[in-house]
Each structure stands twice: as structure tokens, then as C-alpha cells.
Amino acid sequence: MTTLASPQFSPEEIDQINRDLAGKTPQEILNWALDNVKGLYQTTAFGLTGLAALDMISKISLERNEIHMVPLIFLDTLYHFKETTDLAQLASDTYLAPLHTYTPQNASSPSSFEAEYGPRLWETDEDSYDYLVKVEPAQRAYEELGVKAVVTGRRKSQGEERAGLKVVEVDERGLIKVNPLIEWSFGQVKEYIDKENVPYNPLLDQGYRSIGDWHSTAKPDPSATSSSNGDAGERAGRWQGKKKSECGLHKDYFQMKRAFEEKRREAVEVAQDNGVDVQV
Ligand SMILES: Nc1ncnc2c1ncn2[C@@H]1O[C@H](COP(=O)(O)OS(=O)(=O)O)[C@@H](OP(=O)(O)O)[C@H]1O
């Protein structure tokens, strides 16, 4: 099994780092990461949390007389809203942040994706869809760019699996994930965005909260996102009506890859049994 990165920190060091960073501000966490973590990138879909982190990194870079110290990785699934892909370019231009955009293998448009992998794959096999549009392109980006660590936009208050997040985590590949805004609420993030004039997705002003692919993103019910309800409803518009709450990017990479390859092998065997000549 190949690991992505040689470990920069032992598990004991990670525990100590998390103790040391407990209660620190996002800017303090980012400063720590810039001083101590090698091969650092920011993975972002330009959600509000990632945009706040981007603005903070830009300001810290300026204080250090650098242009922008953390390049961006955007996984373009080919099914994002146009507002999101426009924002990716605008944010990269505004902050002079190098932007690395990765699309699914052998596909650069929805029609080429559908020709390669079939129509509406997100309805027929959502795990394979997640693997093809996010998990595999992310791994390709990490390998090609030499990424050893990523800043993410996940926060505890987004709930579900995220409630138990740590400031610094090391995944099963050895990839370090730094979650600088982990302790902030949606309200704190939005207040920062407004105060610092950070560009954000215009769909937010139409009632959207968490924005992913157009086919699996809806406006959450306003009662779910009311302030009395905390952040509970922030991601309620994602995969509405389904149990799903994560896109695969933050799940176990090796499990996702194995499951995808297993399904692929089975599909090829069925096709071959039916006399279809399939290229593997
Ligand atoms: N398409 C894409 N490209 C690069 N990075 C991405 C992508 N989707 C998710 N992320 C990373 O995961 C953070 C949380 O995203 P979401 O809350 O939208 O959830 S999900 O990952 O889509 O399930 C998200 O936080 P933001 O930076 O606030 O967007 C990123 O760190």
C-alpha cells in the first residue's frame, strides 16, 4: 500500500500539537502551519469557511512580505454551479493565489464525463460518482503537486462526522489536514467575510448555505438555518432526502478506491460474459 507522504509528525506529536493549538485563533493556527508544515496547500470549494481562511492566509502572507504562501486546489466535478467556478477564478485573481484545478480523469465536460461513465451516475452509483469526481482527482493532485498537507474548510459546528474534528489530523495516507476555523460558528464566519469584504458565492444571498454540485444542492428550509437553530441546518441543503452527508473527500481513501475498483471489475466481468469487448 503506498502512502502519500512520509510522516512529518508522529501520532504523539500530533496529540501534543492539538493540545498546544486548543483555544488558538484561526490566524494563530495558520501561522503555526506556515511555520511548521511542509508541502502545504489549501483544498477549497470556495465555501464561506475556505474563503475566510484564504483571506487570512493572504493577510498573513503580506505580513511576512510574501505574495500568497498557500496554493489552492479546486476539484472541479464538472457539475458545479457557474457561480462557483466563476468565484474560483475571482478568488484566485483577487488574492494572487495559484489555483490548481483538477477535473475527473478522461473528462473535461459533463458530456464527456457521461460518455465515459454513463448518465446521471450520481443517481445510479453515488460512491463511484464521488470517487471519480472528488477522491481520485484529489489523490492525483496530491501526487502530481507533491502535496503533504492541506488546509480545509471543515468546522465542528457543521455537525455529523465533523463534530469530532481535531485542529490537525493525519489521514490514512499520511496526508496532514489542518482545520483552522474548526471552532467557529457559521455566524462568526459570515461576520468575518462581511467585515473583511471577502468575495463570496452570490448563491448565498439567494438562500443557499453549503454549496456543492447543482444536482445535489438545494436551498435549505429557512427554519433549519434560523439563528435559534445554531448551525444545525447549514448543510441541510446537501443531498436532500438522502442519508449521505459527506462527498467522499474526507472518508478513507483506500476504502473508497478498493470499493470503486471492485465494482469496476464486476462490471467488466458482466460485460465480458455478455460478449462485450471492454477495455480495462
Ligand atoms: N470540490 C472541492 N475542491 C476542493 N476542496 C473541496 C471540494 N469540496 C469540498 N472540499 C473541501 O472540503 C471542505 C468542506 O466542504 P463541504 O462542506 O462542501 O463538504 S463536502 O466535502 O463537499 O462533503 C471544503 O471547505 P471550503 O474551503 O469552505 O469549500 C474544502 O476544504
Side-chain angles (χ1 to χ4, degrees):
M1 217 181 262
T2 52
T3 52
L4 184 83
S6 56
Q8 294 182 42
F9 304 106
S10 67
E12 294 72 29
E13 284 170 326
I14 291 290
D15 287 345
Q16 186 57 49
I17 289 165
N18 277 313
R19 281 194 290 274
D20 293 346
L21 292 177
K24 300 281 187 209
T25 64
Q27 289 91 340
E28 286 170 329
I29 295 168
L30 287 167
N31 265 299
W32 171 84
L34 287 168
D35 287 337
N36 294 284
V37 180
K38 298 192 194 87
L40 183 64
Y41 284 67
Q42 180 178 2
T43 184
T44 183
F46 301 91
L48 278 191
T49 317
L51 288 163
L54 172 59
D55 185 83
M56 290 173 188
I57 292 167
S58 165
K59 293 189 162 105
I60 295 171
S61 301
L62 283 175
E63 282 163 15
R64 295 175 177 221
N65 287 323
E66 302 274 352
I67 295 184
H68 190 91
M69 297 177 74
V70 184
L72 307 173
I73 297 171
F74 173 50
L75 307 166
D76 181 354
T77 61
L78 309 172
Y79 293 94
H80 283 292
F81 290 94
K82 184 171 185 308
E83 286 83 348
T84 306
T85 48
D86 286 351
L87 176 62
Q89 200 52 57
L90 173 71
S92 159
D93 292 346
T94 304
Y95 292 102
L96 302 177
L99 175 64
H100 300 275
T101 300
Y102 278 75
T103 54
Q105 236 164 7
N106 307 323
S108 55
S109 64
S111 55
S112 57
F113 183 82
E114 282 153 37
E116 183 78 19
Y117 303 110
R120 302 181 81 80
L121 185 63
W122 59 87
E123 284 177 359
T124 56
D125 182 353
E126 62 185 19
D127 289 342
S128 294
Y129 176 79
D130 287 347
Y131 181 79
L132 288 165
V133 303
K134 290 248 183 121
V135 178
E136 186 285 327
Q139 176 67 14
R140 195 161 12 105
Y142 301 157
E143 286 174 8
E144 285 180 7
L145 301 169
V147 177
K148 308 240 179 292
V150 287
V151 171
T152 93
R154 292 171 304 157
R155 307 189 331 269
K156 281 186 189 169
S157 62
Q158 288 166 329
E160 315 234 18
E161 285 95 329
R162 300 189 185 177
L165 277 178
K166 299 264 168 52
V167 179
V168 181
E169 305 173 302
V170 183
D171 82 1
E172 58 293 336
R173 291 167 282 194
L175 178 73
I176 296 169
K177 294 188 176 180
V178 182
N179 307 308
L181 280 92
I182 183 169
E183 298 292 350
W184 277 23
S185 65
F186 181 84
Q188 282 175 293
V189 177
K190 185 67 169 64
E191 198 181 312
Y192 179 94
I193 296 280
D194 292 340
K195 185 162 158 269
E196 301 297 330
N197 271 318
V198 179
Y200 64 88
N201 199 318
L203 294 173
L204 265 287
D205 292 333
Q206 293 177 29
Y208 289 89
R209 279 288 170 274
S210 169
I211 300 165
D213 287 335
W214 58 257
H215 53 70
S216 55
T217 301
K219 292 180 201 178
D221 179 346
S223 66
T225 54
S226 69
S227 52
S228 61
N229 203 13
D231 290 350
E234 183 183 334
R235 302 183 77 247
R238 303 287 296 277
W239 305 288
Q240 267 187 350
K242 297 191 175 178
K243 275 199 187 147
K244 186 178 164 80
S245 67
E246 291 286 341
C247 68
L249 197 54
H250 309 295
K251 291 190 189 156
D252 185 303
Y253 166 72
F254 295 115
Q255 265 180 26
M256 297 281 296
K257 182 172 192 279
R258 258 196 314 274
F260 174 77
E261 288 173 347
E262 181 65 22
K263 274 192 198 152
R264 196 92 180 143
R265 242 190 325 273
E266 281 168 12
V268 167
E269 276 169 20
V270 170
Q272 285 169 343
D273 287 351
N274 289 318
V276 181
D277 184 21
V278 184
Q279 304 282 322
V280 187

